[in-house]
PDB file of all heavy atoms in Angstrom:
ATOM      1  N   LYS A  81     -43.012 -11.540 -29.435  1.00 97.00           N
ATOM      2  CA  LYS A  81     -41.849 -10.878 -28.852  1.00 97.00           C
ATOM      3  C   LYS A  81     -40.565 -11.632 -29.205  1.00 97.00           C
ATOM      4  O   LYS A  81     -39.570 -11.032 -29.613  1.00 97.00           O
ATOM      5  CB  LYS A  81     -41.987 -10.801 -27.333  1.00 97.00           C
ATOM      6  CG  LYS A  81     -40.709 -10.284 -26.680  1.00 97.00           C
ATOM      7  CD  LYS A  81     -40.801 -10.194 -25.194  1.00 97.00           C
ATOM      8  CE  LYS A  81     -39.459 -10.043 -24.526  1.00 97.00           C
ATOM      9  NZ  LYS A  81     -38.601  -8.973 -25.042  1.00 97.00           N
ATOM     10  N   HIS A  93     -41.751  -5.537 -27.051  1.00 96.00           N
ATOM     11  CA  HIS A  93     -42.754  -5.799 -26.020  1.00 96.00           C
ATOM     12  C   HIS A  93     -44.071  -6.045 -26.725  1.00 96.00           C
ATOM     13  O   HIS A  93     -44.378  -5.377 -27.707  1.00 96.00           O
ATOM     14  CB  HIS A  93     -42.887  -4.605 -25.079  1.00 96.00           C
ATOM     15  CG  HIS A  93     -41.570  -4.009 -24.692  1.00 96.00           C
ATOM     16  ND1 HIS A  93     -40.832  -4.454 -23.619  1.00 96.00           N
ATOM     17  CD2 HIS A  93     -40.839  -3.022 -25.260  1.00 96.00           C
ATOM     18  CE1 HIS A  93     -39.709  -3.758 -23.546  1.00 96.00           C
ATOM     19  NE2 HIS A  93     -39.683  -2.887 -24.532  1.00 96.00           N
ATOM     20  N   CYS A  94     -44.832  -7.000 -26.206  1.00 97.00           N
ATOM     21  CA  CYS A  94     -46.077  -7.327 -26.876  1.00 97.00           C
ATOM     22  C   CYS A  94     -47.221  -7.503 -25.891  1.00 97.00           C
ATOM     23  O   CYS A  94     -47.056  -8.144 -24.853  1.00 97.00           O
ATOM     24  CB  CYS A  94     -45.904  -8.596 -27.706  1.00 97.00           C
ATOM     25  SG  CYS A  94     -47.293  -8.894 -28.776  1.00 97.00           S
ATOM     26  N   VAL A  96     -51.376  -8.577 -25.882  1.00 96.00           N
ATOM     27  CA  VAL A  96     -52.426  -9.205 -26.684  1.00 96.00           C
ATOM     28  C   VAL A  96     -53.687  -9.305 -25.831  1.00 96.00           C
ATOM     29  O   VAL A  96     -53.622  -9.735 -24.681  1.00 96.00           O
ATOM     30  CB  VAL A  96     -52.005 -10.623 -27.123  1.00 96.00           C
ATOM     31  CG1 VAL A  96     -53.149 -11.321 -27.839  1.00 96.00           C
ATOM     32  CG2 VAL A  96     -50.771 -10.567 -28.005  1.00 96.00           C
ATOM     33  N   THR A  98     -58.388  -8.612 -25.647  1.00 93.00           N
ATOM     34  CA  THR A  98     -59.630  -8.154 -26.248  1.00 93.00           C
ATOM     35  C   THR A  98     -60.101  -6.849 -25.636  1.00 93.00           C
ATOM     36  O   THR A  98     -61.018  -6.225 -26.141  1.00 93.00           O
ATOM     37  CB  THR A  98     -60.740  -9.207 -26.058  1.00 93.00           C
ATOM     38  OG1 THR A  98     -60.849  -9.503 -24.662  1.00 93.00           O
ATOM     39  CG2 THR A  98     -60.410 -10.479 -26.812  1.00 93.00           C
ATOM     40  N   SER A  99     -59.492  -6.441 -24.527  1.00 92.00           N
ATOM     41  CA  SER A  99     -59.959  -5.223 -23.885  1.00 92.00           C
ATOM     42  C   SER A  99     -58.848  -4.577 -23.069  1.00 92.00           C
ATOM     43  O   SER A  99     -58.612  -4.946 -21.924  1.00 92.00           O
ATOM     44  CB  SER A  99     -61.151  -5.539 -22.978  1.00 92.00           C
ATOM     45  OG  SER A  99     -61.522  -4.400 -22.252  1.00 92.00           O
ATOM     46  N   GLY A 101     -56.324  -0.620 -22.806  1.00 95.00           N
ATOM     47  CA  GLY A 101     -55.820   0.649 -23.314  1.00 95.00           C
ATOM     48  C   GLY A 101     -54.375   0.768 -22.898  1.00 95.00           C
ATOM     49  O   GLY A 101     -53.932   0.094 -21.975  1.00 95.00           O
ATOM     50  N   TYR A 103     -50.505   3.312 -22.906  1.00 94.00           N
ATOM     51  CA  TYR A 103     -49.717   4.489 -23.236  1.00 94.00           C
ATOM     52  C   TYR A 103     -48.260   4.094 -23.102  1.00 94.00           C
ATOM     53  O   TYR A 103     -47.830   3.678 -22.034  1.00 94.00           O
ATOM     54  CB  TYR A 103     -50.063   5.665 -22.323  1.00 94.00           C
ATOM     55  CG  TYR A 103     -50.430   6.872 -23.138  1.00 94.00           C
ATOM     56  CD1 TYR A 103     -51.751   7.130 -23.471  1.00 94.00           C
ATOM     57  CD2 TYR A 103     -49.448   7.719 -23.637  1.00 94.00           C
ATOM     58  CE1 TYR A 103     -52.098   8.208 -24.258  1.00 94.00           C
ATOM     59  CE2 TYR A 103     -49.788   8.803 -24.423  1.00 94.00           C
ATOM     60  CZ  TYR A 103     -51.109   9.045 -24.737  1.00 94.00           C
ATOM     61  OH  TYR A 103     -51.440  10.107 -25.520  1.00 94.00           O
ATOM     62  N   THR A 105     -43.955   4.599 -24.724  1.00 93.00           N
ATOM     63  CA  THR A 105     -42.946   5.328 -25.494  1.00 93.00           C
ATOM     64  C   THR A 105     -42.185   4.300 -26.313  1.00 93.00           C
ATOM     65  O   THR A 105     -41.716   3.312 -25.757  1.00 93.00           O
ATOM     66  CB  THR A 105     -41.948   6.031 -24.546  1.00 93.00           C
ATOM     67  OG1 THR A 105     -42.662   6.954 -23.728  1.00 93.00           O
ATOM     68  CG2 THR A 105     -40.887   6.773 -25.337  1.00 93.00           C
ATOM     69  N   SER A 107     -39.414   3.195 -29.756  1.00 90.00           N
ATOM     70  CA  SER A 107     -38.353   3.615 -30.669  1.00 90.00           C
ATOM     71  C   SER A 107     -38.953   3.987 -32.019  1.00 90.00           C
ATOM     72  O   SER A 107     -40.033   3.527 -32.382  1.00 90.00           O
ATOM     73  CB  SER A 107     -37.362   2.464 -30.885  1.00 90.00           C
ATOM     74  OG  SER A 107     -36.775   2.086 -29.663  1.00 90.00           O
ATOM     75  N   GLU A 129     -31.538  -1.606 -21.522  1.00 78.00           N
ATOM     76  CA  GLU A 129     -30.592  -1.134 -20.518  1.00 78.00           C
ATOM     77  C   GLU A 129     -29.196  -1.630 -20.887  1.00 78.00           C
ATOM     78  O   GLU A 129     -29.011  -2.820 -21.112  1.00 78.00           O
ATOM     79  CB  GLU A 129     -30.981  -1.731 -19.169  1.00 78.00           C
ATOM     80  CG  GLU A 129     -30.785  -0.814 -17.996  1.00 78.00           C
ATOM     81  CD  GLU A 129     -31.816   0.285 -17.928  1.00 78.00           C
ATOM     82  OE1 GLU A 129     -33.002  -0.012 -17.747  1.00 78.00           O
ATOM     83  OE2 GLU A 129     -31.417   1.456 -18.053  1.00 78.00           O
TER      84      GLU A 129
ATOM     85  N   LYS B  80     -48.407   6.663 -16.586  1.00 97.00           N
ATOM     86  CA  LYS B  80     -47.157   6.821 -17.318  1.00 97.00           C
ATOM     87  C   LYS B  80     -46.559   8.207 -17.077  1.00 97.00           C
ATOM     88  O   LYS B  80     -45.368   8.342 -16.789  1.00 97.00           O
ATOM     89  CB  LYS B  80     -47.388   6.624 -18.813  1.00 97.00           C
ATOM     90  CG  LYS B  80     -46.144   6.991 -19.622  1.00 97.00           C
ATOM     91  CD  LYS B  80     -46.318   6.790 -21.081  1.00 97.00           C
ATOM     92  CE  LYS B  80     -45.252   7.468 -21.905  1.00 97.00           C
ATOM     93  NZ  LYS B  80     -43.865   7.173 -21.530  1.00 97.00           N
ATOM     94  N   HIS B  92     -44.065   2.596 -19.283  1.00 96.00           N
ATOM     95  CA  HIS B  92     -45.112   2.157 -20.201  1.00 96.00           C
ATOM     96  C   HIS B  92     -46.236   1.578 -19.356  1.00 96.00           C
ATOM     97  O   HIS B  92     -45.973   0.894 -18.373  1.00 96.00           O
ATOM     98  CB  HIS B  92     -44.589   1.093 -21.162  1.00 96.00           C
ATOM     99  CG  HIS B  92     -43.234   1.401 -21.695  1.00 96.00           C
ATOM    100  ND1 HIS B  92     -43.012   2.170 -22.821  1.00 96.00           N
ATOM    101  CD2 HIS B  92     -42.005   1.073 -21.230  1.00 96.00           C
ATOM    102  CE1 HIS B  92     -41.708   2.285 -23.033  1.00 96.00           C
ATOM    103  NE2 HIS B  92     -41.074   1.637 -22.082  1.00 96.00           N
ATOM    104  N   CYS B  93     -47.458   1.859 -19.768  1.00 97.00           N
ATOM    105  CA  CYS B  93     -48.573   1.380 -18.965  1.00 97.00           C
ATOM    106  C   CYS B  93     -49.682   0.790 -19.827  1.00 97.00           C
ATOM    107  O   CYS B  93     -50.056   1.372 -20.846  1.00 97.00           O
ATOM    108  CB  CYS B  93     -49.120   2.521 -18.115  1.00 97.00           C
ATOM    109  SG  CYS B  93     -50.287   1.952 -16.894  1.00 97.00           S
ATOM    110  N   VAL B  95     -53.596  -0.906 -19.390  1.00 96.00           N
ATOM    111  CA  VAL B  95     -54.722  -1.033 -18.465  1.00 96.00           C
ATOM    112  C   VAL B  95     -55.873  -1.722 -19.182  1.00 96.00           C
ATOM    113  O   VAL B  95     -56.204  -1.366 -20.311  1.00 96.00           O
ATOM    114  CB  VAL B  95     -55.194   0.362 -17.992  1.00 96.00           C
ATOM    115  CG1 VAL B  95     -56.444   0.236 -17.130  1.00 96.00           C
ATOM    116  CG2 VAL B  95     -54.089   1.072 -17.233  1.00 96.00           C
ATOM    117  N   THR B  97     -59.205  -5.112 -18.931  1.00 93.00           N
ATOM    118  CA  THR B  97     -59.851  -6.207 -18.230  1.00 93.00           C
ATOM    119  C   THR B  97     -59.491  -7.549 -18.836  1.00 93.00           C
ATOM    120  O   THR B  97     -59.780  -8.587 -18.266  1.00 93.00           O
ATOM    121  CB  THR B  97     -61.385  -6.051 -18.277  1.00 93.00           C
ATOM    122  OG1 THR B  97     -61.780  -5.925 -19.644  1.00 93.00           O
ATOM    123  CG2 THR B  97     -61.820  -4.820 -17.508  1.00 93.00           C
ATOM    124  N   SER B  98     -58.880  -7.539 -20.021  1.00 92.00           N
ATOM    125  CA  SER B  98     -58.580  -8.809 -20.660  1.00 92.00           C
ATOM    126  C   SER B  98     -57.382  -8.678 -21.597  1.00 92.00           C
ATOM    127  O   SER B  98     -57.528  -8.290 -22.744  1.00 92.00           O
ATOM    128  CB  SER B  98     -59.803  -9.292 -21.448  1.00 92.00           C
ATOM    129  OG  SER B  98     -59.484 -10.451 -22.179  1.00 92.00           O
ATOM    130  N   GLY B 100     -53.013 -10.274 -22.199  1.00 94.00           N
ATOM    131  CA  GLY B 100     -51.800 -10.956 -21.770  1.00 94.00           C
ATOM    132  C   GLY B 100     -50.627 -10.203 -22.345  1.00 94.00           C
ATOM    133  O   GLY B 100     -50.779  -9.439 -23.294  1.00 94.00           O
ATOM    134  N   TYR B 102     -46.041  -9.884 -22.815  1.00 94.00           N
ATOM    135  CA  TYR B 102     -44.676 -10.337 -22.605  1.00 94.00           C
ATOM    136  C   TYR B 102     -43.774  -9.152 -22.875  1.00 94.00           C
ATOM    137  O   TYR B 102     -43.782  -8.603 -23.970  1.00 94.00           O
ATOM    138  CB  TYR B 102     -44.331 -11.516 -23.515  1.00 94.00           C
ATOM    139  CG  TYR B 102     -43.725 -12.627 -22.715  1.00 94.00           C
ATOM    140  CD1 TYR B 102     -44.520 -13.645 -22.208  1.00 94.00           C
ATOM    141  CD2 TYR B 102     -42.373 -12.629 -22.396  1.00 94.00           C
ATOM    142  CE1 TYR B 102     -43.982 -14.655 -21.429  1.00 94.00           C
ATOM    143  CE2 TYR B 102     -41.833 -13.629 -21.617  1.00 94.00           C
ATOM    144  CZ  TYR B 102     -42.636 -14.640 -21.133  1.00 94.00           C
ATOM    145  OH  TYR B 102     -42.102 -15.631 -20.368  1.00 94.00           O
ATOM    146  N   THR B 104     -39.925  -6.877 -21.693  1.00 93.00           N
ATOM    147  CA  THR B 104     -38.612  -6.825 -21.043  1.00 93.00           C
ATOM    148  C   THR B 104     -38.553  -5.520 -20.271  1.00 93.00           C
ATOM    149  O   THR B 104     -38.815  -4.469 -20.847  1.00 93.00           O
ATOM    150  CB  THR B 104     -37.490  -6.823 -22.102  1.00 93.00           C
ATOM    151  OG1 THR B 104     -37.581  -8.012 -22.878  1.00 93.00           O
ATOM    152  CG2 THR B 104     -36.129  -6.759 -21.429  1.00 93.00           C
ATOM    153  N   SER B 106     -36.716  -2.844 -17.112  1.00 90.00           N
ATOM    154  CA  SER B 106     -35.534  -2.495 -16.330  1.00 90.00           C
ATOM    155  C   SER B 106     -35.637  -3.097 -14.939  1.00 90.00           C
ATOM    156  O   SER B 106     -36.726  -3.366 -14.440  1.00 90.00           O
ATOM    157  CB  SER B 106     -35.422  -0.973 -16.192  1.00 90.00           C
ATOM    158  OG  SER B 106     -35.271  -0.379 -17.455  1.00 90.00           O
ATOM    159  N   GLU B 128     -34.094   5.436 -25.898  1.00 78.00           N
ATOM    160  CA  GLU B 128     -33.151   5.586 -26.992  1.00 78.00           C
ATOM    161  C   GLU B 128     -32.307   6.834 -26.740  1.00 78.00           C
ATOM    162  O   GLU B 128     -32.846   7.904 -26.493  1.00 78.00           O
ATOM    163  CB  GLU B 128     -33.939   5.783 -28.284  1.00 78.00           C
ATOM    164  CG  GLU B 128     -33.365   5.111 -29.486  1.00 78.00           C
ATOM    165  CD  GLU B 128     -33.532   3.606 -29.474  1.00 78.00           C
ATOM    166  OE1 GLU B 128     -34.680   3.131 -29.484  1.00 78.00           O
ATOM    167  OE2 GLU B 128     -32.504   2.916 -29.440  1.00 78.00           O
TER     168      GLU B 128
END
Side-chain angles (χ1 to χ4, degrees):
Chain A
K81 172 180 165 51
H93 317 273
C94 190
V96 174
T98 55
S99 174
Y103 234 93
T105 300
S107 300
E129 217 74 64
Chain B
K80 171 179 165 52
H92 317 273
C93 190
V95 175
T97 55
S98 174
Y102 230 93
T104 300
S106 298
E128 218 73 63

